Amino acid sequence: MMLKNQSLLCFSLALLVSLLYSTTTLAQLSPASAPAQPPPTPTPPAASPKPLVPSLPESPSDSTPDSTPAVDIVGILRKAKSFNVLIRLMKTTQLINQLNSQLLTTKSGGITILAPDDSAFSELKAGFLNSLSDGQKLELLQFHVISDYVSSSNFDTLTNPVRTLAGAKPGKVELNVISYGGSVNISTGEVNTTINGIIYTDKHLAIYKVGKVLLPMDFFTVAKAPAKAPSLAPEPSADTAKAPKADKDTGSSSDSSAQVNPTEENSASVKISVYGKWVSLGLALVAAMMQN
């Protein structure tokens, strides 16, 4: 019995040792677990192109949602302040209705407004706006609207002359845009100015502040037309040329008539003297007969 217990004990110890040995061997043979990897660092988004013009302090952010049903251009200009003259002209010419309708119906592209503020209008010649007809006022405002959406970083992609809502009139209504060195210069042939800041921009509408009112050359073609040279006196016509000759003839005829008159007077006096002699002779005969 004692021997049997010792055998069981030895067997148990051997089994325990073999289990421990096999566990150690398996741990050595198994590959070491890889260290935990840190979470990947998110890469920052690519920087958007640097705008060519700075934003005005009162400008809203560019993150305007596309789901906006309508954009209130007048409200945007009022919020930006100092655009009262431009707002008034947009209403009186009804250009604001055209712009709002175009924004509602457009699915691609858009419009770009170059907005002069009140100080820019005050630099115009006194009474200039009042001297314009309603059609010229509309053309003046349409000349400030580019018929496409232009972001602040894409002015260098425009092709001159830039087409505006005023239409294509070569040499009369032309807008040239040149961007370099972070600035945008605009020339009409009569006015040169720059874009001073962004008032508003989204996916279809961009409004930029310009330093001067853009006056098209069309408004100055009449004023700058060269004065007509003094016309020479017209050559006398054939009838007119003959007129002095006729006067001369008349004068000569009058002179001749004047010359004829003395002859007639002389002949008359001769006739009177002849009649007088005959009368005297007759009286003398009558007297002689009475004496006999």
Side-chain angles (χ1 to χ4, degrees):
M1 188 67 181
M2 189 80 167
L3 183 60
K4 187 177 181 180
N5 290 336
Q6 289 178 352
S7 299
L8 290 173
L9 181 60
C10 290
F11 179 77
S12 299
L13 289 173
L15 182 61
L16 181 62
V17 170
S18 64
L19 289 173
L20 290 174
Y21 178 75
S22 61
T23 303
T24 304
T25 304
L26 290 174
Q28 291 176 352
L29 293 175
S30 63
S33 59
Q37 296 290 336
T41 305
T43 58
S48 58
K50 185 178 180 182
L52 296 174
V53 292
S55 298
L56 296 178
E58 62 271 12
S59 301
S61 64
D62 295 351
S63 59
T64 305
D66 293 340
S67 59
T68 305
V71 177
D72 185 7
I73 297 176
V74 172
I76 293 171
L77 293 174
R78 281 177 178 166
K79 184 177 180 180
K81 300 178 181 179
S82 301
F83 292 92
N84 298 318
V85 178
L86 180 60
I87 293 173
R88 175 173 56 83
L89 289 175
M90 280 186 169
K91 289 183 175 180
T92 55
T93 60
Q94 298 184 357
L95 177 65
I96 189 63
N97 298 334
Q98 178 184 353
L99 298 181
N100 288 334
S101 176
Q102 188 168 343
L103 286 175
L104 287 174
T105 57
T106 186
K107 294 183 179 179
S108 61
I111 57 176
T112 301
I113 301 175
L114 305 174
D117 60 3
D118 294 341
S119 62
F121 279 101
S122 66
E123 295 178 2
L124 294 175
K125 185 180 178 181
F128 175 78
L129 290 178
N130 294 332
S131 66
L132 300 179
S133 64
D134 293 340
Q136 288 177 321
K137 290 178 182 178
L138 178 60
E139 180 180 335
L140 176 64
L141 292 187
Q142 289 175 334
F143 193 51
H144 289 74
V145 182
I146 300 176
S147 52
D148 199 0
Y149 171 77
V150 183
S151 66
S152 59
S153 58
N154 288 340
F155 276 98
D156 53 353
T157 64
L158 296 176
T159 302
N160 291 320
V162 179
R163 186 176 180 84
T164 66
L165 292 185
K169 296 180 181 179
K172 296 182 179 181
V173 183
E174 288 188 357
L175 192 69
N176 295 293
V177 178
I178 301 175
S179 62
Y180 64 93
S183 64
V184 179
N185 293 347
I186 300 176
S187 174
T188 68
E190 189 69 29
V191 174
N192 296 316
T193 187
T194 58
I195 292 181
N196 298 333
I198 303 173
I199 301 173
Y200 178 87
T201 180
D202 58 21
K203 301 300 181 182
H204 300 292
L205 172 65
I207 305 177
Y208 301 98
K209 178 183 177 182
V210 291
K212 294 182 180 179
V213 179
L214 305 177
L215 301 176
M217 288 291 294
D218 191 20
F219 286 7
F220 298 91
T221 52
V222 177
K224 289 190 174 183
K228 292 183 178 180
S231 58
L232 299 175
E235 295 182 359
S237 61
D239 297 337
T240 308
K242 292 179 180 179
K245 188 174 181 181
D247 294 341
K248 186 175 180 181
D249 295 339
T250 305
S252 60
S253 62
S254 62
D255 294 340
S256 60
S257 63
Q259 294 175 359
V260 171
N261 287 337
T263 305
E264 293 178 352
E265 291 178 356
N266 293 335
S267 60
S269 59
V270 171
K271 290 179 180 180
I272 293 173
S273 60
V274 172
Y275 293 153
K277 290 180 178 180
W278 282 104
V279 170
S280 299
L281 182 58
L283 291 175
L285 290 176
V286 171
M289 291 177 64
M290 289 179 64
Q291 289 178 359
N292 293 329

